[in-house]
Amino acid sequence: MSEPSPVETEHLDAALEDLDIESDYKPPPEKSLEELLSADKEDESLQKYKEALLGEAKVGKVIVDPNDDRKVIVKRLALCVKGRPDMELDLTKPLDELKKQVFVIKEGISYRIRIDFLVQREIVHGLKYVQKTYRLGARVDKMTHMVGSYPPKTELQSYTTPPEDAPSGLVARGSYTVHSLFTDDDKHIHLKWEWIFEIKKDWKE
């Protein structure tokens, strides 16, 4: 993955500043798996709980892709509408190709966004999904979702947002650009990408 340009870095910093403004929450210091497992050893019930929570991670470092040194590998975004097949965006592709795939959705429908990702090597604390939506260059919506903390696993893990209603009406129809950011309590940028959806009167247009 190429290094972000100065303009991209500025956008990332702005997104993270927004997160700081929205919450006074101060995350606890990041701890490794070894530190978590060694703490409170005298509390047997707590140890059993931690081992059950960590699963395979307690045995040793879980490494899914040894050639990727990231803790979080974001794999896929899906736009989910009840009764219809999920519309999926492969986030392992080059980021400049993602805007070539346009999601078409019917105005006024209720939808959710699902993010599929892998966690490897260490626990990741306080994942957040930030999404800003633009139309004709102006921001029309922003949402921030607390995804949570996840242990490393070989299996794919997922987060699904609460339902959102697409805008409706003649004025709302058209193309929208979405800036998405997957970050965490420690302000690590796991992935930042852009994608496009188009609102139409009906699915078949």
Side-chain angles (χ1 to χ4, degrees), residues 48-109:
K48 288 181 179 179
Y49 170 75
K50 286 192 290 185
E51 289 179 0
L53 179 66
L54 294 174
E56 61 189 300
K58 70 180 182 294
V59 179
K61 284 187 180 297
V62 176
I63 299 177
V64 180
D65 185 350
N67 298 316
D68 195 324
D69 59 4
R70 292 176 296 171
K71 289 199 299 183
V72 178
I73 303 172
V74 189
K75 303 288 284 185
R76 184 167 48 243
L77 176 144
L79 196 65
C80 308
V81 177
K82 188 174 181 180
R84 297 187 64 87
D86 293 346
M87 294 172 276
E88 296 185 346
L89 189 64
D90 183 356
L91 298 178
T92 64
K93 290 183 177 180
L95 298 183
D96 58 357
E97 292 186 9
L98 299 181
K99 290 195 289 185
K100 296 177 183 179
Q101 180 179 340
V102 179
F103 291 152
V104 175
I105 62 176
K106 179 181 177 181
E107 63 180 358
I109 56 94

Side-chain angles (χ1 to χ4, degrees), residues 23-34:
S23 174
D24 294 326
Y25 169 70
K26 301 298 180 185
E30 185 173 351
K31 290 186 177 182
S32 68
L33 285 172
E34 290 79 4

Side-chain angles (χ1 to χ4, degrees), residues 151-183:
K153 287 184 178 180
T154 53
E155 296 88 2
L156 204 63
Q157 305 191 66
S158 297
Y159 170 78
T160 304
T161 67
E164 299 275 343
D165 291 331
S168 60
L170 182 61
V171 175
R173 296 171 201 158
S175 181
Y176 295 77
T177 299
V178 183
H179 295 186
S180 291
L181 176 70
F182 212 50
T183 183

Side-chain angles (χ1 to χ4, degrees), residues 180-198:
S180 291
L181 176 70
F182 212 50
T183 183
D184 61 27
D185 275 346
D186 299 301
K187 298 185 179 180
H188 297 142
I189 304 301
H190 300 296
L191 191 67
K192 177 180 181 286
W193 69 99
E194 294 183 21
W195 52 287
I196 293 174
F197 68 88
E198 189 169 348

